[in-house]
């Protein structure tokens, strides 16, 4: 299957370029701008897209690719900074523009026989600009194929029709016909075919798993979340009878979750499912612990112990596993190009990636190439029900980071009840899938209330619901007020020990999604 290489120069839109290419059913990979020429030869892409980036190509240490990559004869499309790189390497001159151009611009098309096929000549189309530099002198052997009022060289090509540059961003939705431009590059310029489909992905991935695993056994930690469920389903399809799925009840799951997930997984994976009820072990280990990072460490460590015991006590007649199935996704794999230095650790996220060396398990990561919505699409093809594929994300440490302060068993019950009411109201309002994540948090304070003729001194529940693309940034969800009113009154009336409900109106940043 042919592919496209995206060279990342640190643009905030690099992942969007990849999304658009894959939506056109073409496989692509993002690599940092300084990837080696030999690696690129190995990938043998049919086209290379150079992303935008925050630097200026005329800066002393401007990020630039190995020149050999540009000379391979592979068709190139440079976007914004990427266009500067290509044109400068051909003798063009990029300089600081007199005025920054940011936002919508009208693009007038002069040539419509390849990159801009399908556009009317001399008609204008809206594109999205975001740049402070612009090309001031065209390299020799190039021609303009579209211009805007501020960018006379808004789109250009080399006469050999192997190199293209666009000053605007075809990958963002504000560029009305951006999808068409990228598709023209893929199908007309590079001669690619739309052959990246989920059925295709599943077929090639299961073949890869079979080759990697041979007759060995694979163990998978499974939480009932989308990523681990689809990972296990792919492995089971590839090597049926060689998989063990370990589902651990850590005592920190939501109301009825352990039972429901266990029932679903039991039905789907049959004998492959190993269920471990380790609630007491986790809750005992967490007793009296308030510090959020310590909670995470204890939960991570206990999980590894429990998982290792389950993985190392193979069922009768079966060898122990030598492979670990893991639901790593593409955004975790992309080596991000950071222009501001490494980012600080805000919260240490725990996952099975931290398994001890001595377990000596080789990783099987069938989702390494996928974005989240592609994982859902794969899940759909594998017959996993919609309700499982669209569950909100749930953190590994579970309710432990939603009970502020030490975790008591009766507090877990209060939180579970309140959370279940909130989610039920969201579902009843038909809003569950409009929201990235919604949950209740139990605060460690008492406030005064009144119930009948009596004064109460009870706990406070905070409700949080957010919209987000990837969990990295988030905004609070704007509920119709009557939904919050109903959730609030039900929680205060139905959950014993709670007399006040508040709604969290913080975005991320400055807040985080979870309260701990
Ligand atoms: P924060 O709170 O960091 O959350 O803004 C971003 C996303 O990550 C989830 N989250 C976690 N997931 N282990 C996990 O597996 C963790 O320790 C953890 N902490 C936060 C959170 O639910 C949100 O989706």
């Amino acid at each position: 299957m042919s592919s496209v290489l995206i060279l990342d120069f640190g643009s905030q839109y690099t992942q969007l370029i990849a999304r658009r290419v894959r939506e056109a059913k073409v496989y692509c990979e993002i690599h940092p701008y300084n990837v080696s020429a030999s690696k690129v030869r190995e990938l043998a892409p049919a086209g290379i897209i150079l992303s935008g980036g925050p630097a200026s190509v005329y800066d002393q240490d401007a990020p630039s690719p190995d020149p050999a990559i540009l000379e391979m004869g592979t068709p190139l499309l440079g976007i914004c900074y990427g266009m500067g790189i290509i044109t400068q390497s051909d003798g063009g001159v990029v300089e600081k523009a007199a005025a920054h151009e940011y936002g919508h611009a009208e693009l007038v098309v002069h040539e419509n026989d390849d990159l801009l096929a399908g556009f009317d000549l001399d008609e204008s189309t809206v594109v999205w600009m975001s740049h402070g530099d612009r090309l001031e002198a065209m390299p020799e052997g190039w021609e303009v194929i579209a211009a805007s009022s501020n960018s006379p060289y808004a789109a250009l090509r080399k006469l050999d029709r192997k190199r293209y540059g666009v000053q605007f961003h075809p990958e963002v939705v504000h560029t009305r016909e951006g999808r068409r431009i990228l598709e023209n590059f893929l199908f007309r310029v590079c001669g690619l075919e739309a052959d990246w489909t989920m059925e295709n992905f599943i077929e090639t991935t299961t073949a890869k798993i079979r080759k990697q695993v041979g007759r060995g056994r694979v163990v998978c930690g499974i939480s009932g979340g989308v990523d681990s469920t689809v990972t296990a389903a792919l492995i089971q399809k590839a090597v049926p009878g060689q998989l063990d799925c370990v589902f651990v009840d850590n005592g920190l799951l939501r109301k009825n979750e352990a039972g429901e997930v266990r029932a679903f997984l039991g039905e789907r994976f049959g004998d492959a499912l190993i269920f471990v009820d380790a609630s007491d072990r986790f809750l005992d280990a967490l007793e009296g612990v308030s510090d959020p990072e310590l909670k995470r460490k204890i939960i991570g460590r206990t999980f590894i112990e429990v998982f290792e015991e389950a993985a190392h006590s193979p069922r009768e007649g079966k060898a122990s596993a030598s492979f670990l199935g893991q639901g790593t996704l593409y955004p975790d794999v992309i080596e991000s190009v950071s222009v501001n230095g490494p980012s600080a650790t805000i919260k240490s996220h725990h996952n099975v990636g931290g398994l001890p060396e001595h377990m000596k398990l080789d990783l099987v990561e069938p989702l390494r190439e996928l974005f989240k919505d592609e994982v859902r699409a794969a899940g759909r093809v594998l017959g996993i029900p919609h309700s499982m594929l669209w569950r909100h994300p749930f953190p590994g440490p579970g309710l432990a980071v939603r009970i502020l302060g030490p975790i008591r068993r009766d507090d877990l019950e209060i939180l579970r009840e309140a959370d279940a009411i909130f989610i039920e109201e969201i579902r009843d309002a038909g809003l569950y899938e409009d929201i990235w994540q919604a949950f209740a948090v139990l605060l460690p304070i008492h406030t005064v209330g009144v119930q009948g003729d009596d004064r109460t001194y009870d706990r406070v529940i905070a409700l949080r619901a957010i919209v987000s693309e990837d969990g990295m940034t988030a905004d609070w969800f704007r509920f119709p007020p009557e939904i919050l009113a109903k959730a609030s009154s039900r929680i205060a009336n139905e959950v014993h020990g709670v007399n006040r409900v508040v709604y969290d109106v913080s975005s991320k940043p400055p807040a985080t999604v979870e309260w701990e």
Side-chain angles (χ1 to χ4, degrees):
M1 187 178 47
S2 29
S3 68
V4 162
L5 165 67
I6 297 167
L7 283 185
D8 181 16
F9 291 91
S11 163
Q12 54 177 325
Y13 302 132
T14 303
Q15 287 204 22
L16 264 186
I17 306 174
R19 303 297 351 267
R20 297 289 170 265
V21 172
R22 290 186 177 196
E23 281 160 14
K25 300 193 166 53
V26 171
Y27 180 65
C28 65
E29 288 186 13
I30 300 174
H31 286 266
Y33 66 88
N34 53 3
V35 61
S36 69
S38 58
K39 175 82 189 166
V40 175
R41 275 190 207 98
E42 206 178 290
L43 291 166
I48 301 177
I49 300 178
L50 291 82
S51 83
S56 290
V57 291
Y58 47 77
D59 284 347
Q60 187 97 57
D61 336 304
S64 63
D66 181 336
I69 296 173
L70 304 185
E71 298 306 329
M72 285 175 184
T74 312
L76 306 176
L77 171 65
I79 297 175
C80 201
Y81 182 89
M83 160 165 141
I85 289 286
I86 302 178
T87 48
Q88 186 173 265
S89 82
D90 250 8
V93 179
V94 177
E95 283 175 3
K96 196 166 207 49
H100 285 212
E101 201 180 1
Y102 185 81
H104 293 106
E106 296 281 337
L107 184 82
V108 179
V109 174
H110 300 325
E111 296 287 343
N112 63 357
D113 51 354
D114 49 15
L115 189 71
L116 301 177
F119 289 84
D120 290 331
L121 281 185
D122 302 321
E123 294 268 312
S124 70
T125 176
V126 173
V127 297
W128 182 258
M129 295 281 190
S130 170
H131 62 107
D133 299 332
R134 69 175 204 182
L135 186 67
E136 294 297 339
M138 269 237 292
E140 223 169 285
W142 284 67
E143 64 185 335
V144 175
I145 55 174
S148 72
S149 49
N150 273 318
S151 295
Y153 305 126
L156 24 148
R157 70 180 170 207
K158 194 165 179 172
L159 295 175
D160 68 2
R161 301 198 177 189
K162 287 267 190 171
R163 295 179 173 213
Y164 292 78
V166 288
Q167 184 68 75
F168 56 90
H169 289 272
E171 69 277 25
V172 305
V173 288
H174 314 292
T175 296
R176 205 170 290 152
E177 301 285 340
R179 191 179 296 269
R180 181 191 301 221
I181 298 172
L182 289 171
E183 289 182 359
N184 283 341
F185 177 69
L186 301 172
F187 303 128
R188 289 173 183 266
V189 177
C190 305
L192 281 153
E193 275 176 39
D195 56 6
W196 163 253
T197 62
M198 268 313 139
E199 286 76 8
N200 226 330
F201 166 81
I202 289 170
E203 203 174 300
T204 51
T205 305
T206 46
K208 259 194 248 170
I209 297 172
R210 268 193 289 277
K211 187 157 172 248
Q212 182 189 1
V213 168
R215 304 180 67 81
R217 290 196 71 76
V218 190
V219 63
C220 241
I222 194 162
S223 65
V226 187
D227 306 342
S228 61
T229 306
V230 175
T231 301
L234 269 170
I235 296 172
Q236 196 189 35
K237 186 174 169 69
V239 287
Q242 289 165 247
L243 172 72
D244 291 318
C245 303
V246 180
F247 171 47
V248 177
D249 179 359
N250 58 10
L252 300 162
L253 302 177
R254 289 162 291 192
K255 186 177 176 183
N256 300 333
E257 190 171 14
E260 284 167 11
V261 171
R262 185 182 177 186
F264 164 75
L265 295 176
E267 203 175 298
R268 173 87 204 191
F269 295 102
D271 275 358
L273 183 69
I274 302 172
F275 172 71
V276 188
D277 180 356
S279 345
D280 285 333
R281 191 153 158 187
F282 278 87
L283 296 181
D284 290 348
L286 284 166
E287 198 163 322
V289 177
S290 314
D291 177 64
E293 278 304 280
L294 190 55
K295 286 181 184 175
R296 278 192 174 77
K297 284 204 180 82
I298 291 171
I299 293 165
R301 194 177 60 222
T302 311
F303 180 82
I304 287 166
E305 287 166 12
V306 172
F307 185 83
E308 196 176 357
E309 285 165 19
H312 269 333
S313 48
R315 272 86 54 86
E316 226 171 297
K318 291 179 181 168
S320 61
S322 41
F323 295 91
L324 176 72
Q326 201 168 262
T328 315
L329 303 196
Y330 196 45
D332 308 323
V333 176
I334 304 170
E335 231 181 287
S336 57
V337 172
S338 166
V339 278
N340 303 316
S343 52
T345 304
I346 312 292
K347 297 178 188 184
S348 59
H349 284 204
H350 96 99
N351 59 31
V352 264
L355 286 181
E357 279 282 305
H358 66 256
M359 281 189 78
K360 296 209 174 7
L361 294 170
D362 285 332
L363 293 181
V364 180
E365 297 180 304
L367 309 181
R368 269 179 83 85
E369 292 162 357
L370 302 191
F371 289 102
K372 189 85 175 186
D373 54 336
E374 294 171 328
V375 175
R376 292 194 168 113
R380 202 169 47 237
V381 176
L382 289 163
I384 295 167
H386 183 91
S387 58
M388 291 300 288
L389 296 175
W390 287 92
R391 295 175 72 206
H392 288 172
F394 186 63
L399 301 183
V401 290
R402 295 178 181 173
I403 290 181
L404 309 194
I407 298 149
R408 281 184 288 267
R409 284 170 163 80
D410 43 355
D411 282 356
L412 277 165
E413 287 315 309
I414 293 180
L415 180 57
R416 285 193 175 109
E417 289 305 319
D419 188 75
I421 292 171
F422 186 38
I423 298 298
E424 193 177 303
E425 289 305 323
I426 290 173
R427 282 193 189 280
D428 282 357
L431 294 173
Y432 187 79
E433 287 176 20
D434 295 340
I435 293 172
W436 168 271
Q437 204 173 359
F439 53 90
V441 181
L442 182 61
L443 306 191
I445 50 170
H446 289 74
T447 67
V448 174
V450 56
Q451 212 148 34
D453 291 331
D454 290 329
R455 173 190 187 275
T456 59
Y457 190 55
D458 278 338
R459 305 291 289 279
V460 182
I461 283 283
L463 302 178
R464 180 125 170 93
I466 55 145
V467 285
S468 174
E469 285 286 318
D470 52 8
M472 301 295 284
T473 59
D475 196 7
W476 55 279
F477 183 72
R478 270 52 168 187
F479 275 109
E482 57 279 11
I483 295 171
L484 285 177
K486 184 142 178 247
S488 158
S489 105
R490 279 194 60 198
I491 290 169
N493 283 307
E494 294 173 31
V495 184
H496 191 68
V498 174
N499 65 1
R500 191 176 296 270
V501 177
V502 297
Y503 184 53
D504 182 350
V505 290
S506 325
S507 61
K508 172 183 179 174
T512 50
V513 176
E514 304 291 343
W515 278 44
E516 281 196 338

